[in-house]
Amino acid sequence: MEKTGDTQSCQNKSEEDIPKSSPFDFVIKQFQGKKSSSGKRKEQPSAIQKFFSGFDFGKSEGKERQKIEETEINNCRADDQSEKENLSVEDESSQLISEAESPSGEQRFNQFMQKLGKKPNSKNLDLNNCALSAADVTELASLLPFLPELEEIGLSWNGCVGGTLKTLTAQFHHVNLLKVLRLNNCRLSAEDVTSLGEAFEIVPQLEELDLSWNSNIGGKLSLLTKKLRKGCKIKLLKITDCNLTAKDGESLAEILNVLPNLEVLDLSINKHIGCSMKVIAQGLKNVPGLKELNLHMCGLKQDSLQGLDTALQHLTALRKLDISCNKEIGGGFKDSAAHLASLKNLEVLDLHQCCVTEEDTTVLSQVIPLLSSLQELNLSWNKNIGVSSDPLLGRLRFLPKLKSVAISNCGLGKESFSSLAEAALHLPELEILDLSWNKCVGGNLKLLLGALKLATEIQVLRLSSCNLVAEDLALLTLLSHDGHLARLRKLDLSYNNTISDEGWMVFCQGLATFKELSELDVSLRPSSCRACGTWFSELLAALTKLPALAELGMQRWVLSESQRKQLEGFNQDNKRNIRFDC
């Protein structure tokens, strides 16, 4: 029994020895469990620590709670830091993968050019006529930072460039070596003109600027040029058909004051600047190195011609002068050609369709022979040239360097044609001769026989609408058979309905002797048609012996069914790429 009592006593004592659970023990275990699970397992408290912790409900309880919270916060911070480090490593890896996968600037540029069917060239960006979209222009702008060596940009004939040019010019500081900018027919807006004008100062190396066929430039030329500064390097400026106004003419005169290096100025097809020509002429005095001046169809009048003549004395380097298709200057040469003779370096003079009068012809007959360097002369569509009694055409003999003479539709008579034929004997370098629309040539081509024998360099002969006859064609074939006209490449015999079938037969039988011929036109007049004779077979036979021939004009000749089959068989059998214009 004592034993039993002792046992009971021991049990009671043991129960008294077991400390009562603190209300925080559960929380502590929960925190410890979390802590152990996230990191290294913590060392368990001893029994004595547990015992005393069960009776500490005062200050030590708050300290313990604070300690627990601090421990948990530290653990959480450690976990966060670990996660951040893991994420940082992952982000860095992802970034490296992304950089490895994303194309470089050079690759992007190559892909862009390949998409447009162009070969990449870091110095010459040729995107003319590529049907660019506004998005393409934006993408191109983003690529300019990767093209620091770019020297040429060609975006001509891309209408969608208009309205988006500002995105491109904003990146021009990345391509400050740019020398050439071509923006023909891009439908430039007023905003484009302004942004382009503001960009000039960040492309100081610019030498060539072509803005032709952008009508919105008209009336806004001052916006385009306001940033141009004295000493600008521009050598070529083309503003063809831009609807320039008289006010633009005044702005242009100011521009010329800061373009001392200008060599080429093309203002053609701007009909409203003629009345500003006197002001422009004043500006031309500041570009003594000018080599080409194009004023074709600029609405020039007699007083405009006077202003221009004054400027010519300062343009001694001029090589090309085009004042064609200015009908109202007719009659003005008699008072405005004095300084034309001073252009000793002039190589090209174009006066076609200027309504030259007989008095003008008298003056020109004294001036033109003094242009000792002249190589190309176009007097076409001035009917008084042929009827004047002054020997202008005869005096061409004093211009031995002439390579091209165009006297189409000049109203030549037999006398003036004879004068020309005699002068041609002294033109050994003649390559191009255009006598079209001069009816007197028909039946009189023999007058030119001597000149054509000596013209060993002649490559283009135009005799359209000259009332030619069979005798004239026989003369041409005879010359070729004898070894003359050996370099002839283009022969225009169109609109000569006066040639008989016999004449065409003789011509076609001797055609094979024109070994270098690449273009031949035997078309009839637009108002007529005619059945093709038996000479057609001779024509096809001759073509097999003319390997260079690529174009044959036969408009309004009516082929029979058998002739059409002959033509089809010829194309198949000979595998020639001849373009028959029938």
Side-chain angles (χ1 to χ4, degrees):
M1 290 295 297
E2 289 179 3
K3 188 176 182 180
T4 303
D6 293 340
T7 305
Q8 185 67 36
S9 176
C10 287
Q11 288 175 349
N12 292 337
K13 188 176 180 180
S14 299
E15 290 173 1
E16 291 175 359
D17 290 338
I18 299 171
K20 293 181 180 179
S21 297
S22 166
F24 299 102
D25 285 349
F26 176 75
V27 178
I28 292 170
K29 289 178 181 179
Q30 290 296 319
F31 279 123
Q32 288 174 338
K34 283 184 179 180
K35 191 171 180 180
S36 301
S37 64
S38 62
K40 185 178 178 182
R41 188 172 184 82
K42 303 295 181 183
E43 187 179 339
Q44 297 298 322
S46 65
I48 295 173
Q49 288 172 326
K50 288 182 180 180
F51 177 77
F52 284 107
S53 65
F55 295 96
D56 194 357
F57 299 103
K59 187 174 180 181
S60 62
E61 182 179 330
K63 289 180 178 179
E64 184 65 26
R65 180 185 298 174
Q66 184 178 356
K67 185 177 181 180
I68 292 168
E69 290 175 352
E70 289 176 355
T71 303
E72 179 63 19
I73 289 169
N74 289 335
N75 289 336
C76 287
R77 284 177 176 170
D79 291 342
D80 289 344
Q81 184 63 29
S82 177
E83 288 179 8
K84 286 180 180 178
E85 289 176 356
N86 291 336
L87 288 172
S88 178
V89 171
E90 290 178 3
D91 290 345
E92 189 175 348
S93 299
S94 299
Q95 187 177 353
L96 290 172
I97 292 171
S98 177
E99 289 178 355
E101 291 177 351
S102 63
S104 65
E106 182 180 356
Q107 290 173 326
R108 284 177 54 201
F109 173 64
N110 291 342
Q111 291 170 1
F112 177 75
M113 296 297 284
Q114 288 169 4
K115 177 181 72 172
L116 298 172
K118 294 283 187 175
K119 290 183 179 180
N121 187 328
S122 61
K123 288 191 176 183
N124 184 354
L125 189 61
D126 181 4
L127 297 177
N128 297 310
N129 199 21
C130 281
L132 295 180
S133 65
D136 291 330
V137 178
T138 302
E139 184 178 356
L140 175 60
S142 71
L143 295 173
L144 290 187
F146 306 107
L147 301 171
E149 297 181 356
L150 191 63
E151 295 182 357
E152 296 187 26
I153 296 180
L155 300 176
S156 298
W157 307 99
N158 289 290
C160 286
V161 171
T164 65
L165 192 62
K166 189 173 183 179
T167 60
L168 198 66
T169 57
Q171 303 298 322
F172 270 11
H173 59 281
H174 294 293
V175 290
N176 56 10
L177 297 179
L178 192 66
K179 293 182 178 180
V180 179
L181 181 59
R182 299 187 182 97
L183 296 170
N184 300 356
N185 197 23
C186 286
R187 298 180 185 175
L188 299 184
S189 66
E191 183 183 9
D192 295 325
V193 173
T194 302
S195 63
L196 183 58
E198 293 174 347
F200 282 148
E201 60 184 352
I202 56 177
V203 282
Q205 305 300 321
L206 194 65
E207 295 180 357
E208 296 186 17
L209 178 63
D210 193 346
L211 302 172
S212 300
W213 297 290
N214 287 288
S215 58
N216 284 327
I217 290 179
K220 307 176 187 68
L221 194 61
S222 60
L223 297 176
L224 180 67
T225 58
K226 63 182 179 181
K227 293 290 184 180
L228 289 176
R229 295 290 179 265
K230 193 169 182 64
C232 181
K233 294 185 178 181
I234 290 180
K235 295 181 179 180
L236 179 148
L237 179 60
K238 291 188 176 183
I239 323 178
T240 298
D241 197 10
C242 285
N243 199 26
L244 298 185
T245 64
K247 184 179 179 181
D248 292 325
E250 295 173 2
S251 298
L252 180 63
E254 295 178 6
I255 298 169
L256 295 175
N257 293 327
V258 296
L259 300 179
N261 299 305
L262 193 64
E263 295 181 358
V264 178
L265 179 60
D266 189 346
L267 303 174
S268 57
I269 320 179
N270 286 289
K271 299 179 181 180
H272 304 296
I273 65 168
C275 55
S276 302
M277 195 60 221
K278 284 188 176 181
V279 180
I280 295 173
Q282 291 297 319
L284 287 173
K285 296 177 182 179
N286 298 305
V287 286
L290 194 67
K291 295 179 180 179
E292 294 186 21
L293 179 60
N294 192 339
L295 299 173
H296 166 80
M297 203 182 295
C298 280
L300 302 185
K301 299 180 180 180
Q302 291 187 12
D303 59 342
S304 308
L305 197 58
Q306 292 174 3
L308 178 61
D309 183 61
T310 303
L312 291 181
Q313 61 182 315
H314 303 281
L315 304 179
T316 56
L318 201 64
R319 294 180 181 175
K320 179 178 179 180
L321 177 62
D322 185 347
I323 54 176
S324 61
C325 295
N326 288 288
K327 296 181 180 180
E328 293 187 53
I329 64 175
F333 286 97
K334 62 181 183 294
D335 300 316
S336 309
H339 296 106
L340 181 62
S342 65
L343 302 179
K344 300 300 182 183
N345 293 306
L346 195 68
E347 297 176 354
V348 180
L349 179 60
D350 194 341
L351 300 176
H352 84 268
Q353 204 166 341
C354 284
C355 292
V356 171
T357 66
E358 289 192 49
E359 289 181 296
D360 291 331
T361 303
T362 301
V363 174
L364 292 174
S365 66
Q366 296 171 358
V367 173
I368 290 179
L370 300 177
L371 303 175
S372 56
S373 298
L374 201 64
Q375 297 180 15
E376 297 180 26
L377 177 63
N378 192 341
L379 299 172
S380 297
W381 296 84
N382 289 291
K383 292 189 176 181
N384 283 315
I385 295 287
V387 299
S388 173
S389 57
D390 288 286
L392 171 59
L393 299 180
R395 290 187 177 180
L396 295 183
R397 70 177 66 203
F398 299 113
L399 301 172
K401 294 182 179 180
L402 271 179
K403 294 182 178 180
S404 175
V405 176
I407 313 178
S408 173
N409 198 23
C410 280
L412 297 186
K414 187 173 182 180
E415 184 179 348
S416 53
F417 181 48
S418 297
S419 296
L420 174 64
E422 291 176 9
L425 293 170
H426 303 276
L427 305 179
E429 298 184 23
L430 194 63
E431 296 178 359
I432 300 173
L433 179 60
D434 187 353
L435 297 173
S436 300
W437 298 89
N438 287 291
K439 307 302 181 184
C440 75
V441 175
N444 292 306
L445 193 61
K446 57 182 176 292
L447 295 175
L448 206 59
L449 178 63
L452 291 177
K453 284 183 176 181
L454 296 174
T456 57
E457 301 297 319
I458 198 160
Q459 299 176 29
V460 179
L461 181 60
R462 301 193 184 281
L463 300 171
S464 176
S465 192
C466 282
N467 279 0
L468 299 183
V469 295
E471 180 188 349
D472 298 319
L473 293 193
L475 177 67
L476 290 176
T477 54
L478 179 62
L479 283 169
S480 179
H481 183 270
D482 290 343
H484 306 294
L485 305 178
R487 300 191 63 187
L488 193 67
R489 293 187 301 172
K490 298 181 181 180
L491 179 59
D492 186 356
L493 301 175
S494 62
Y495 299 0
N496 284 289
N497 294 27
T498 46
I499 300 174
S500 64
D501 282 353
E502 290 76 13
W504 287 118
M505 176 64 80
V506 171
F507 176 73
C508 290
Q509 288 174 341
L511 182 59
T513 58
F514 294 89
K515 298 295 185 182
E516 300 295 320
L517 201 63
S518 60
E519 294 181 25
L520 173 64
D521 195 344
V522 297
S523 299
L524 298 175
R525 291 179 179 276
S527 59
S528 63
C529 63
R530 184 167 148 193
C532 196
T534 54
W535 53 266
F536 184 71
S537 298
E538 296 290 341
L539 174 65
L540 293 182
L543 294 183
T544 62
K545 302 173 183 178
L546 298 175
L549 195 73
E551 293 187 26
L552 176 60
M554 290 191 63
Q555 292 183 19
R556 289 166 291 279
W557 284 104
V558 180
L559 301 182
S560 66
E561 186 64 28
S562 61
Q563 288 171 336
R564 289 192 175 278
K565 289 182 179 179
Q566 278 184 293
L567 182 58
E568 291 174 5
F570 172 84
N571 289 330
Q572 292 175 356
D573 297 342
N574 293 278
K575 297 180 180 179
R576 293 285 303 282
N577 190 25
I578 299 178
R579 186 172 69 86
F580 285 86
D581 189 5
C582 298

